[in-house]
Amino acid sequence: MNTSELQKIKQRYNIVGNSDGLNRALDVALQVAPTDLSVLIVGESGVGKEIVPRVIHDNSPRRRERYFAINCGSIPEGTIDSELFGHEKGAFTGAVGESEGYFGVANKGTIFLDEVGELPIATQARLLRVLETGEYIRVGGQEIRKTDVRIVAATNVNMRKAISEGRFREDLYYRLNTIPIQMPPLRDRGEDILLLFRLFAMQMADKYRLPKITLTDEAKRMMLQYKWPGNVRQLKNITEQMSVLSEKREIGAETLRQFIPQDPESMELTTVGQPGQHSYESEREILYKILYELRGNITDLRRDMMNLRKQLDESRNLQEAASSLQTNIISTGKTNVPMVSPRKSPIATYTPSAEDAEAEEIETEPESLNLNDLGRQMVEKALERNDGSRKKAAQELGISDRTLYRRIKQYGLDKK
C-alpha cells in the first residue's frame, strides 16, 4: 500500500502514528478485508487492537451488514453460550423467551471477539463448529441452525502457553489464526509516543478550555524511555491527569515523575530504537515455536523410554525364568550344585518338531560345557537310583518324560 492510501485510512479512523509495526498491521488488515478469512489480532492490553476489526469490516463486502464487538472476558461463563448462540424458551432459569444470539443476529455480517483467550473450553468447541461448518445449536435446543459470519478475534494472552496448559483448544487457535496481525506495544513505536501525547493534550485543551500542556526536551526523552506497561491507554490517562492537575503548562522531568507510577516494574526504562532498527518480535515468535515443538519432542522421547523400559523388564523376566529353571534342574539331586548365572552362560531355545507336539513344556537349554556335564551326571544318577525307570527318574528330576527322553538322547545315554 502506498503512503497516501495509508494516510487516508489513518485520517478516517483517527489513527495517530507512523511506526513500521503500526503501518504493517494496517496494511495486512486492508489486504485481508476483501476475503472471508478469519483474523487473529495479537497484542498487549491497551495497544488499540479494537480499531483493526473495524477497518477490516468497513473495507469488506460485508460493510453494509451488521458489525458486533463482543468482549468475551466481560460475559459470565454461565451465560456466554446463550449470548453468542441464543437459547430456547425455558432453557434455563430466567429464559422467558427465545433469543437469537449474536451469531443469529449478525448473519452475513462480522463479529469481533475481543479477549477470545478467555472463552470457556465448552464455548470454544461451539465456536470451532461455527468456524468449520457455519452450524450451531441454541442453548436448550435441538435444531441445527446456519449462519454466515466473518469472525475477527483479538487476544492479549500468550496463546501457545494457554494451549500447553490446556486452557485453549489448539485446533481452534489454528482456525482463528488464519491471518495473524501483530499490534506493536507503545514502547516499540518510538516517536509515536510524542505524537499521541500532543493529540491527547490538544483534545483535553479543546474539551475543557485549558491551556495546552507541552513537554521539555528532558521530559520528551523520559517519555520515550519509559516502557508504558499500559500502552496507549496509560499514556492518555497520564496526559489527562497532567492537563488538569499540573499548574505548569510546560511539563518538565520532575513534574512528569509525579504522574508516572513509581513501582520498580513500571519505572523500568526501555532502550529507544531508531526507525528501521532491528526488532525482536520475530525472534520471540521463533522461540515460542521452538519451545512448543520441543515439548512435543519430549513427549515422544518419554514414550520411547517407556517402551524401552518395558522391553528391558520383559528381558529381565525371561532371564529370571531361565535362571529358575536351571536351579530347579541342578538342585533336585541329592547333591546341591551352585546355580550358574545366566549372564555367564548363553541360553539356547529348543524348538519342538512335529513329533514333539504333545510336549508339556518348551525348555531353554544351557550350552555351557560345565552345565552339560552336571546335567548328564544328574540324569545318570537318577536312572541308576530308579533301576533305569525313565518315568520315576523324570519325577525325581522334576521334568516331563519327554524332556528326560530328549536329555538321554542329547547326552548319548541311550547308546549305553
Side-chain angles (χ1 to χ4, degrees):
M1 178 186 298
N2 57 49
T3 306
S4 61
E5 291 179 351
L6 194 59
Q7 290 302 323
K8 289 179 182 179
I9 292 296
K10 291 179 180 179
Q11 291 175 3
R12 179 180 176 184
Y13 295 97
N14 198 26
I15 301 173
V16 176
N18 293 308
S19 65
D20 292 340
L22 177 64
N23 292 341
R24 189 182 309 111
L26 294 175
D27 187 25
V28 174
L30 290 171
Q31 289 186 57
V32 75
T35 72
D36 278 335
L37 297 175
S38 300
V39 178
L40 181 62
I41 307 163
V42 180
E44 297 176 6
S45 178
V47 296
K49 298 186 292 294
E50 64 279 354
I51 196 64
V52 177
R54 188 80 241 189
V55 172
I56 293 174
H57 175 75
D58 291 345
N59 291 273
S60 73
R62 300 173 182 263
R63 56 184 172 273
R64 293 182 176 84
E65 304 297 336
R66 305 188 71 175
Y67 169 86
F68 290 95
I70 305 164
N71 189 318
C72 301
S74 65
I75 304 176
E77 183 175 346
T79 62
I80 191 166
D81 283 359
S82 172
E83 292 282 343
L84 294 178
F85 307 105
H87 62 260
E88 300 292 343
K89 181 179 180 180
F92 52 86
T93 302
V96 295
E98 296 182 352
S99 171
E100 285 289 331
Y102 285 113
F103 278 95
V105 177
N107 188 35
K108 305 296 184 182
T110 303
I111 289 182
F112 170 45
L113 298 176
D114 197 7
E115 297 187 26
V116 71
E118 304 298 329
L119 283 176
I121 291 293
T123 307
Q124 293 176 29
R126 287 174 173 263
L127 179 58
L128 179 63
R129 183 178 182 184
V130 173
L131 284 167
E132 291 180 339
T133 65
E135 298 177 347
Y136 68 98
I137 300 176
R138 288 179 178 177
V139 176
Q142 296 181 343
E143 179 185 355
I144 298 177
R145 298 175 177 270
K146 298 284 289 186
T147 186
D148 177 17
V149 174
R150 168 77 174 276
I151 295 179
V152 181
T155 182
N156 59 359
V157 173
N158 184 331
M159 298 299 283
R160 297 188 184 278
K161 182 179 179 182
I163 292 170
S164 65
E165 293 175 352
R167 294 185 289 109
F168 201 86
R169 295 178 60 111
E170 186 175 13
D171 46 5
L172 177 59
Y173 168 72
Y174 288 116
R175 290 291 300 184
L176 291 172
N177 198 38
T178 304
I179 302 294
I181 296 180
Q182 179 72 44
M183 287 294 289
L186 183 59
R187 59 182 172 273
D188 292 341
R189 291 177 58 179
E191 295 292 330
D192 287 359
I193 297 173
L194 301 181
L195 293 176
L196 288 166
F197 169 81
R198 286 200 289 268
L199 171 66
F200 298 146
M202 187 182 301
Q203 289 175 346
M204 286 296 293
D206 292 343
K207 184 175 182 179
Y208 296 105
R209 300 185 182 278
L210 297 170
K212 187 178 71 171
I213 60 174
T214 58
L215 297 172
T216 64
D217 291 342
E218 186 179 0
K220 288 180 181 178
R221 286 193 294 271
M222 188 174 176
M223 293 278 280
L224 292 174
Q225 291 177 340
Y226 182 59
K227 75 172 191 176
W228 298 107
N231 292 293
V232 178
R233 190 179 295 120
Q234 183 188 13
L235 174 60
K236 182 177 182 181
N237 181 273
I238 289 177
T239 306
E240 291 175 347
Q241 290 178 26
M242 291 189 297
S243 296
V244 175
L245 301 178
S246 178
E247 296 180 359
K248 299 179 180 179
R249 294 292 90 184
E250 186 178 44
I251 307 298
E254 289 298 325
T255 304
L256 186 58
R257 288 191 183 96
Q258 298 175 13
F259 293 92
I260 288 182
Q262 297 299 312
D263 58 284
E265 290 188 1
S266 296
M267 285 303 294
E268 289 180 5
L269 302 182
T270 181
T271 303
V272 181
Q274 300 298 326
Q277 200 172 12
H278 182 70
S279 171
Y280 292 91
E281 288 297 324
S282 58
E283 280 81 354
R284 283 198 292 269
E285 285 297 318
I286 292 173
L287 285 175
Y288 288 145
K289 183 177 180 181
I290 291 173
L291 290 173
Y292 186 74
E293 292 177 350
L294 181 60
R295 176 176 172 270
N297 294 337
I298 292 174
T299 301
D300 294 339
L301 181 61
R302 185 182 295 112
R303 184 174 57 250
D304 293 341
M305 290 294 293
M306 291 178 65
N307 292 337
L308 180 59
R309 185 179 294 111
K310 183 178 179 181
Q311 294 175 7
L312 290 174
D313 290 342
E314 292 176 352
S315 176
R316 188 179 299 110
N317 291 337
L318 288 175
Q319 290 181 357
E320 291 176 354
S323 176
S324 176
L325 180 60
Q326 292 172 16
T327 303
N328 185 32
I329 294 174
I330 295 171
S331 62
T332 50
K334 292 182 179 180
T335 303
N336 291 330
V337 182
M339 182 183 68
V340 180
S341 172
R343 295 183 181 178
K344 299 180 181 179
S345 301
I347 303 297
T349 302
Y350 172 78
T351 305
S353 63
E355 297 177 355
D356 299 331
E358 296 180 357
E360 294 180 9
E361 58 183 73
I362 300 174
E363 191 171 311
T364 56
E365 298 290 348
E367 294 180 352
S368 170
L369 181 60
N370 294 335
L371 192 55
N372 281 337
D373 292 342
L374 292 172
R376 178 190 179 99
Q377 293 175 16
M378 293 300 100
V379 172
E380 287 179 337
K381 290 181 179 180
L383 289 171
E384 289 175 2
R385 284 192 295 270
N386 293 281
D387 299 325
S389 174
R390 295 181 180 179
K391 184 174 182 179
K392 292 181 179 180
Q395 291 177 351
E396 180 180 325
L397 292 171
I399 59 177
S400 66
D401 296 350
R402 183 73 66 180
T403 301
L404 177 60
Y405 174 73
R406 289 199 305 272
R407 288 186 177 279
I408 291 173
K409 292 188 62 176
Q410 178 183 351
Y411 299 144
L413 301 177
D414 56 339
K415 298 177 181 179
K416 288 186 176 183

